[in-house]
Amino acid sequence: MWVKLAFKLFARELRRGELTIIFAAIALAVLTVFSLSSVTERIGLNIEKKTSDFIAADRRLSSNHAFTDNYINEANQQGLETASLLFFDSMLFANDELVLGSVKAVTEQYPLRGMVEIKDTLESVGYEIRGGPKSGNIWLSEGLFYTLNVNVGDTVELGAGQFTISKVLVSEPDAPFFSLAGNKRVLLNYADIGSTKAVQVGSRVFHRLLFAGTDAQLSDYYLWLKPQLKENQNWEGVKDRQSPLGENLARAERFLLLAGLFGIMLAAVAMAVSAKRYCERQYDPVAMMKTLGGSRVVIRKIFLTHLALVTSVSIIIGLSIGFVLQYFGANYLAQFMGAELPSAGIKPWLLSAFIGMTCALMFSLKPLLDLFDIPPLRVLRRNLGDRLAISRIHMASSLFTIFLLMWLFSGEIVITLILFGSSLLVIGVLFGISRALFSFGRKLGLSPGSSWSLAIATLQKRANANAVQLISFALAIKLMLFLVVLKNDMISDWEMQVPADAPNAFFINIAEQDIEPITTFFNDNNITHEAFYPVFNARVNAINGEELARRVSKQEGEERDEDAREGVSREPNLTWLSEIPEGNEVIEGEWFSNGDDIEVSVFEGWKEVLDLELGDTISFLANERRFDAKVTSFRSVDWGTLKPNFVMILSPNMAGKTPVTYFSAAKLEAQHNKGVSQLLQRHPTMSMIDIKSRLEQAQSIIAQVSLAIGFVLSIVLVSGALVLISQVQASLAERMQEVVILRTLGARGRLIKLATLYEFVLLGAIAGFVAALVSDVALLLIQQQLFDVAGRLHWYIWLLGPISGAAFVATIGYLMVANTMRQNTQGLLRNLS
């Protein structure tokens, strides 16, 4: 019997629109979470795929000695794709020219991820393929063609073997970030290693195995592999520190994580507010049902059935709309990026449905319990039950649910606490501000016919409801401001770490007599370049006469002296300069004096590493020469400029006291390739380090994340508008009553319209100001804790928050009630009845 009644009431309320609010809130939560999680997951997968391309695999295993066969056999048994690589240096000979080349021998499966770019001739256009040279053939980088004076089809000797040059090697996906042989690369078939006779027992070679497969396959294989790994064997992936792209990928994932969390928060707020509003609107029907003899059990079954029906239908519709939304959004992003985004897995479907059900249950449970407790006497005394309007239990359970959902989605407790804590701060501040402003409004003494006076009186009358509205408005604005700062400032800051004019090639081992002709070449070809810095290597041997720990050989079983002072494991590049270089700033001490003693300025990151203080004396060992330098300053260094930088800079009086070579950097374009190769041929001691492909890859990741943030921002704007609409819609009946009363008392239509507009302007401006204030504090913490950068305040959002909040709330709010304002008094009375 109750089932039939439940469905009749459900159909009736659907026609009346009573279930619209809660239905829209659940659907909003589901479609927001699904669209955001799907798009961010697809872009994240694409970013990870791109970075995997740049190590030519999903994982790689590196070693300086050969691998046993069981490594590959086990990988093949577990369904992984594999490829073998061997790196070694060997001499190439052709046309009476001899040059040392950097050889990479590859199996036919190489590369497992990414593509090799080659050209058929020096003049032809490059194209991408997967694979390497066939046995008997060899691919040479463009610089070697000019150095050896050869063409495609010629024969070249590599070690003891002779090979036919079949292609021009343009680029490889796993080319090292810094390669001293960047212009002298050789690609060889793995089967031809023996014919070169360049790899013998004791030869200096480097082995690498590449693996590709699913995450589960790779994890299972690593479980088998880990116990067998030697100390000098490294298992690496794109997220590992060993990968130069690891930090870029980690930062991209953090940005996408923030974007997804914003969607979770907004959907949860919409559901919590809407569920409460819906249940409040059912107080009178429940009181009537109880008056007519309806039992508590029957009423509970009816409304729980309604909740189940609304939840299931809204989840289905939310998933459908979310799928369409993410489909078109992802396709647009894919076309914009010129790449096909991978398909998202089942996680967005399960996560969205789970969040929809959780929101419906947790945010509706306490309001429904309050609804069941409504006394029958409310049909006569309409104020009975109003004390249930604000429930601390409902608020606490809603907040706890939101926190758990955020934590579940992110898996990051720190970022969850920052975002959740800042939202609590918004709630607390707004409750205090709303109370203070609404009570202060009574003392303003505005004239009775003033629209501002009427607006403030309306705010005072609905103080509790307006406080809830302020909170939902402020949280929506807060999320929008977060995304605006993420897209406009933090993404830009990240992008500026690799400026557009950054050098993309380094030139090292330059002899002093070669500086003038090289400078002339750069100027004649309009190549932007940096100054030429004198460079030499030296070991930090002692500090204040105390010897640093000596490096020991584990191979020989040596043990480190535990009592010795900790040093650094590498010999740094040193230079001397008279002026502070660009991108450096003295943060402690003074730049060099003109004294006779050698002085040194140290990068601030090495201050703690070497436990240095101003005035300390550092003893250096350069070749066999020892010298001392006094620490006179510590510097901050902007390494992101990619311009020549040094951890230690010596005073100019170091000049002439040790042999040096020179170092510079330049920004090269495609038309410079041939000329630069000829330049390297004329100056054989000089080497070039090409990092162009890595810069392009880093910029590609930044562009994708920026697009993702823009997409999320558009979703949040739409979701925020829906939250506002649901809030205003819930108060339409009360506003109709106010309009009828005001018209009856003789208020003009213009006065009522302006008062309503001013009410929304005040609500939006207050919400926007608090949102801006709290957002900036939270962003400061996020920059420091999540992105490990020096945080800074964003003053422009302090102005943007109130202005955008007032405009956003006033526009949508006024449009929602405009129809009510246009109706005559008789029509409003009919609607109220």
Side-chain angles (χ1 to χ4, degrees), residues 415-457:
I415 185 62
T416 300
L417 287 173
I418 291 176
L419 290 179
F420 185 74
S422 63
S423 300
L424 288 182
L425 185 59
V426 167
I427 293 173
V429 171
L430 280 176
F431 263 121
I433 288 179
S434 61
R435 291 293 183 181
L437 287 178
F438 299 154
S439 62
F440 179 70
R442 298 187 179 96
K443 304 175 183 179
L444 290 179
L446 296 175
S447 60
S450 167
S451 297
W452 281 107
S453 179
L454 182 57
I456 293 174

Short mmCIF file of all heavy atoms in Angstrom, two decimals, residues 415-457:
data_model
loop_
_atom_site.label_atom_id
_atom_site.label_comp_id
_atom_site.label_asym_id
_atom_site.label_seq_id
_atom_site.Cartn_x
_atom_site.Cartn_y
_atom_site.Cartn_z
N ILE A 415 47.45 18.24 1.32
CA ILE A 415 46.66 19.13 0.48
C ILE A 415 45.20 19.10 0.89
O ILE A 415 44.49 20.12 0.84
CB ILE A 415 46.84 18.76 -1.01
CG1 ILE A 415 46.11 19.76 -1.90
CG2 ILE A 415 46.35 17.36 -1.29
CD1 ILE A 415 46.62 21.16 -1.78
N THR A 416 44.70 17.93 1.31
CA THR A 416 43.32 17.84 1.79
C THR A 416 43.11 18.72 3.01
O THR A 416 42.11 19.44 3.10
CB THR A 416 42.96 16.38 2.12
OG1 THR A 416 43.12 15.57 0.94
CG2 THR A 416 41.52 16.27 2.61
N LEU A 417 44.04 18.67 3.95
CA LEU A 417 43.92 19.50 5.16
C LEU A 417 43.98 20.98 4.83
O LEU A 417 43.25 21.78 5.43
CB LEU A 417 45.03 19.13 6.14
CG LEU A 417 44.87 17.78 6.87
CD1 LEU A 417 46.13 17.46 7.67
CD2 LEU A 417 43.65 17.80 7.78
N ILE A 418 44.84 21.36 3.88
CA ILE A 418 44.94 22.79 3.54
C ILE A 418 43.64 23.29 2.93
O ILE A 418 43.09 24.32 3.34
CB ILE A 418 46.12 23.02 2.56
CG1 ILE A 418 47.46 22.78 3.28
CG2 ILE A 418 46.08 24.45 2.02
CD1 ILE A 418 48.65 22.88 2.37
N LEU A 419 43.12 22.56 1.94
CA LEU A 419 41.88 23.00 1.29
C LEU A 419 40.68 22.92 2.23
O LEU A 419 39.84 23.82 2.26
CB LEU A 419 41.62 22.14 0.05
CG LEU A 419 42.58 22.35 -1.13
CD1 LEU A 419 42.22 21.42 -2.27
CD2 LEU A 419 42.55 23.78 -1.61
N PHE A 420 40.62 21.84 3.01
CA PHE A 420 39.50 21.69 3.93
C PHE A 420 39.58 22.72 5.05
O PHE A 420 38.57 23.33 5.43
CB PHE A 420 39.51 20.28 4.52
CG PHE A 420 38.32 19.97 5.39
CD1 PHE A 420 37.07 19.74 4.84
CD2 PHE A 420 38.44 19.92 6.77
CE1 PHE A 420 35.97 19.45 5.64
CE2 PHE A 420 37.36 19.65 7.58
CZ PHE A 420 36.11 19.41 7.01
N GLY A 421 40.78 22.93 5.57
CA GLY A 421 40.96 23.92 6.64
C GLY A 421 40.63 25.32 6.16
O GLY A 421 40.00 26.11 6.90
N SER A 422 41.02 25.66 4.94
CA SER A 422 40.70 27.00 4.42
C SER A 422 39.19 27.15 4.22
O SER A 422 38.64 28.24 4.43
CB SER A 422 41.44 27.24 3.10
OG SER A 422 41.01 26.33 2.10
N SER A 423 38.51 26.07 3.86
CA SER A 423 37.05 26.13 3.72
C SER A 423 36.38 26.33 5.08
O SER A 423 35.41 27.09 5.20
CB SER A 423 36.53 24.85 3.06
OG SER A 423 37.11 24.68 1.78
N LEU A 424 36.89 25.65 6.11
CA LEU A 424 36.36 25.88 7.47
C LEU A 424 36.58 27.32 7.89
O LEU A 424 35.72 27.92 8.56
CB LEU A 424 37.05 24.93 8.45
CG LEU A 424 36.67 23.45 8.39
CD1 LEU A 424 37.41 22.68 9.48
CD2 LEU A 424 35.17 23.26 8.56
N LEU A 425 37.72 27.87 7.52
CA LEU A 425 38.00 29.27 7.86
C LEU A 425 37.00 30.18 7.17
O LEU A 425 36.53 31.17 7.77
CB LEU A 425 39.43 29.62 7.45
CG LEU A 425 39.93 31.02 7.82
CD1 LEU A 425 39.87 31.22 9.33
CD2 LEU A 425 41.35 31.23 7.32
N VAL A 426 36.67 29.88 5.91
CA VAL A 426 35.65 30.65 5.20
C VAL A 426 34.33 30.61 5.96
O VAL A 426 33.67 31.65 6.16
CB VAL A 426 35.47 30.11 3.76
CG1 VAL A 426 34.21 30.70 3.12
CG2 VAL A 426 36.67 30.45 2.92
N ILE A 427 33.93 29.41 6.38
CA ILE A 427 32.66 29.26 7.09
C ILE A 427 32.66 30.07 8.38
O ILE A 427 31.72 30.82 8.68
CB ILE A 427 32.40 27.77 7.39
CG1 ILE A 427 32.18 27.01 6.08
CG2 ILE A 427 31.21 27.61 8.31
CD1 ILE A 427 32.08 25.52 6.25
N GLY A 428 33.74 29.94 9.17
CA GLY A 428 33.80 30.65 10.44
C GLY A 428 33.81 32.15 10.26
O GLY A 428 33.06 32.88 10.96
N VAL A 429 34.62 32.64 9.34
CA VAL A 429 34.70 34.08 9.11
C VAL A 429 33.37 34.63 8.63
O VAL A 429 32.90 35.69 9.08
CB VAL A 429 35.83 34.40 8.11
CG1 VAL A 429 35.76 35.87 7.70
CG2 VAL A 429 37.18 34.09 8.71
N LEU A 430 32.71 33.91 7.73
CA LEU A 430 31.45 34.40 7.17
C LEU A 430 30.33 34.42 8.19
O LEU A 430 29.48 35.32 8.17
CB LEU A 430 31.05 33.56 5.95
CG LEU A 430 31.79 33.92 4.66
CD1 LEU A 430 31.40 32.99 3.55
CD2 LEU A 430 31.48 35.35 4.26
N PHE A 431 30.29 33.43 9.07
CA PHE A 431 29.27 33.46 10.12
C PHE A 431 29.45 34.70 10.99
O PHE A 431 28.49 35.40 11.32
CB PHE A 431 29.35 32.20 10.98
CG PHE A 431 28.36 31.15 10.57
CD1 PHE A 431 28.78 29.89 10.18
CD2 PHE A 431 27.00 31.40 10.58
CE1 PHE A 431 27.88 28.91 9.78
CE2 PHE A 431 26.09 30.43 10.19
CZ PHE A 431 26.52 29.18 9.80
N GLY A 432 30.73 34.99 11.34
CA GLY A 432 30.98 36.17 12.15
C GLY A 432 30.66 37.45 11.42
O GLY A 432 30.02 38.36 11.97
N ILE A 433 31.08 37.55 10.16
CA ILE A 433 30.84 38.76 9.38
C ILE A 433 29.35 38.97 9.15
O ILE A 433 28.83 40.09 9.27
CB ILE A 433 31.59 38.69 8.04
CG1 ILE A 433 33.09 38.85 8.28
CG2 ILE A 433 31.10 39.76 7.08
CD1 ILE A 433 33.93 38.77 7.03
N SER A 434 28.65 37.88 8.80
CA SER A 434 27.22 38.01 8.51
C SER A 434 26.46 38.50 9.74
O SER A 434 25.60 39.39 9.65
CB SER A 434 26.66 36.68 8.02
OG SER A 434 26.80 35.68 9.01
N ARG A 435 26.77 37.94 10.91
CA ARG A 435 26.11 38.37 12.13
C ARG A 435 26.40 39.84 12.42
O ARG A 435 25.51 40.62 12.78
CB ARG A 435 26.57 37.51 13.30
CG ARG A 435 26.09 36.08 13.25
CD ARG A 435 24.59 36.02 13.43
NE ARG A 435 24.10 34.64 13.45
CZ ARG A 435 22.82 34.31 13.57
NH1 ARG A 435 21.91 35.26 13.66
NH2 ARG A 435 22.46 33.05 13.59
N ALA A 436 27.69 40.21 12.27
CA ALA A 436 28.08 41.58 12.59
C ALA A 436 27.44 42.58 11.62
O ALA A 436 26.90 43.60 12.03
CB ALA A 436 29.60 41.71 12.55
N LEU A 437 27.49 42.27 10.33
CA LEU A 437 26.94 43.19 9.34
C LEU A 437 25.43 43.32 9.45
O LEU A 437 24.87 44.41 9.35
CB LEU A 437 27.33 42.73 7.94
CG LEU A 437 28.79 42.95 7.53
CD1 LEU A 437 29.03 42.40 6.13
CD2 LEU A 437 29.15 44.42 7.57
N PHE A 438 24.77 42.18 9.64
CA PHE A 438 23.31 42.22 9.68
C PHE A 438 22.81 42.95 10.92
O PHE A 438 21.79 43.63 10.88
CB PHE A 438 22.74 40.80 9.62
CG PHE A 438 23.13 40.07 8.36
CD1 PHE A 438 23.19 38.68 8.34
CD2 PHE A 438 23.44 40.76 7.20
CE1 PHE A 438 23.56 38.01 7.18
CE2 PHE A 438 23.80 40.10 6.04
CZ PHE A 438 23.86 38.72 6.03
N SER A 439 23.52 42.81 12.04
CA SER A 439 23.12 43.54 13.24
C SER A 439 23.51 45.01 13.14
O SER A 439 22.80 45.89 13.61
CB SER A 439 23.77 42.92 14.48
OG SER A 439 25.19 43.00 14.40
N PHE A 440 24.65 45.29 12.50
CA PHE A 440 25.09 46.67 12.31
C PHE A 440 24.13 47.43 11.40
O PHE A 440 23.97 48.65 11.53
CB PHE A 440 26.50 46.70 11.72
CG PHE A 440 27.04 48.07 11.47
CD1 PHE A 440 27.38 48.90 12.53
CD2 PHE A 440 27.18 48.55 10.18
CE1 PHE A 440 27.87 50.17 12.29
CE2 PHE A 440 27.67 49.82 9.94
CZ PHE A 440 28.02 50.64 11.01
N GLY A 441 23.48 46.70 10.48
CA GLY A 441 22.57 47.35 9.56
C GLY A 441 21.40 48.02 10.27
O GLY A 441 20.83 48.98 9.75
N ARG A 442 21.04 47.54 11.46
CA ARG A 442 19.93 48.15 12.20
C ARG A 442 20.27 49.56 12.67
O ARG A 442 19.39 50.36 12.94
CB ARG A 442 19.57 47.28 13.40
CG ARG A 442 19.09 45.88 13.04
CD ARG A 442 18.59 45.15 14.28
NE ARG A 442 18.11 43.83 13.97
CZ ARG A 442 18.85 42.73 14.10
NH1 ARG A 442 20.10 42.84 14.52
NH2 ARG A 442 18.34 41.56 13.79
N LYS A 443 21.55 49.85 12.78
CA LYS A 443 21.98 51.14 13.33
C LYS A 443 22.34 52.14 12.24
O LYS A 443 22.81 53.24 12.53
CB LYS A 443 23.19 50.93 14.24
CG LYS A 443 22.93 49.92 15.35
CD LYS A 443 24.19 49.65 16.16
CE LYS A 443 23.96 48.58 17.22
NZ LYS A 443 25.19 48.29 17.99
N LEU A 444 22.17 51.77 10.96
CA LEU A 444 22.57 52.67 9.89
C LEU A 444 21.63 53.86 9.75
O LEU A 444 22.03 54.91 9.25
CB LEU A 444 22.65 51.90 8.56
CG LEU A 444 23.78 50.88 8.44
CD1 LEU A 444 23.70 50.19 7.09
CD2 LEU A 444 25.13 51.55 8.61
N GLY A 445 20.40 53.64 10.14
CA GLY A 445 19.45 54.76 10.08
C GLY A 445 19.10 55.19 8.67
O GLY A 445 18.90 56.37 8.39
N LEU A 446 19.03 54.25 7.75
CA LEU A 446 18.70 54.58 6.37
C LEU A 446 17.22 54.96 6.28
O LEU A 446 16.39 54.52 7.07
CB LEU A 446 19.01 53.40 5.46
CG LEU A 446 20.49 53.01 5.38
CD1 LEU A 446 20.65 51.77 4.53
CD2 LEU A 446 21.34 54.14 4.81
N SER A 447 16.88 55.74 5.26
CA SER A 447 15.50 56.20 5.10
C SER A 447 14.61 55.04 4.73
O SER A 447 15.02 54.12 4.04
CB SER A 447 15.44 57.28 4.01
OG SER A 447 15.89 56.75 2.78
N PRO A 448 13.34 55.09 5.17
CA PRO A 448 12.42 53.97 4.91
C PRO A 448 12.22 53.70 3.43
O PRO A 448 11.99 52.56 3.04
CB PRO A 448 11.12 54.43 5.58
CG PRO A 448 11.56 55.45 6.60
CD PRO A 448 12.75 56.13 6.02
N GLY A 449 12.30 54.71 2.58
CA GLY A 449 12.07 54.50 1.16
C GLY A 449 13.31 54.15 0.38
O GLY A 449 13.27 54.12 -0.85
N SER A 450 14.41 53.88 1.06
CA SER A 450 15.67 53.58 0.39
C SER A 450 15.74 52.11 -0.01
O SER A 450 15.38 51.22 0.77
CB SER A 450 16.85 53.93 1.31
OG SER A 450 18.04 53.39 0.80
N SER A 451 16.21 51.87 -1.23
CA SER A 451 16.39 50.49 -1.67
C SER A 451 17.46 49.79 -0.84
O SER A 451 17.34 48.58 -0.55
CB SER A 451 16.78 50.46 -3.16
OG SER A 451 15.75 51.00 -3.96
N TRP A 452 18.52 50.54 -0.47
CA TRP A 452 19.58 49.95 0.37
C TRP A 452 19.01 49.55 1.72
O TRP A 452 19.35 48.49 2.27
CB TRP A 452 20.72 50.93 0.55
CG TRP A 452 21.65 51.02 -0.62
CD1 TRP A 452 21.74 52.04 -1.52
CD2 TRP A 452 22.59 50.03 -1.03
NE1 TRP A 452 22.69 51.76 -2.47
CE2 TRP A 452 23.24 50.52 -2.19
CE3 TRP A 452 22.95 48.78 -0.54
CZ2 TRP A 452 24.22 49.83 -2.87
CZ3 TRP A 452 23.93 48.07 -1.21
CH2 TRP A 452 24.56 48.58 -2.36
N SER A 453 18.15 50.41 2.28
CA SER A 453 17.55 50.10 3.58
C SER A 453 16.70 48.85 3.50
O SER A 453 16.76 47.98 4.38
CB SER A 453 16.69 51.29 4.04
OG SER A 453 16.09 50.99 5.28
N LEU A 454 15.94 48.72 2.43
CA LEU A 454 15.09 47.54 2.25
C LEU A 454 15.96 46.29 2.04
O LEU A 454 15.64 45.21 2.56
CB LEU A 454 14.16 47.74 1.05
CG LEU A 454 13.17 46.60 0.75
CD1 LEU A 454 12.30 46.31 1.97
CD2 LEU A 454 12.31 46.97 -0.45
N ALA A 455 17.06 46.43 1.29
CA ALA A 455 17.94 45.28 1.06
C ALA A 455 18.56 44.81 2.36
O ALA A 455 18.61 43.60 2.63
CB ALA A 455 19.04 45.67 0.06
N ILE A 456 19.03 45.75 3.18
CA ILE A 456 19.65 45.36 4.46
C ILE A 456 18.62 44.76 5.40
O ILE A 456 18.89 43.80 6.12
CB ILE A 456 20.35 46.57 5.09
CG1 ILE A 456 21.54 46.99 4.23
CG2 ILE A 456 20.82 46.26 6.51
CD1 ILE A 456 22.21 48.26 4.69
N ALA A 457 17.39 45.32 5.39
CA ALA A 457 16.33 44.75 6.23
C ALA A 457 16.01 43.32 5.81
O ALA A 457 15.78 42.44 6.66
CB ALA A 457 15.08 45.62 6.13
#
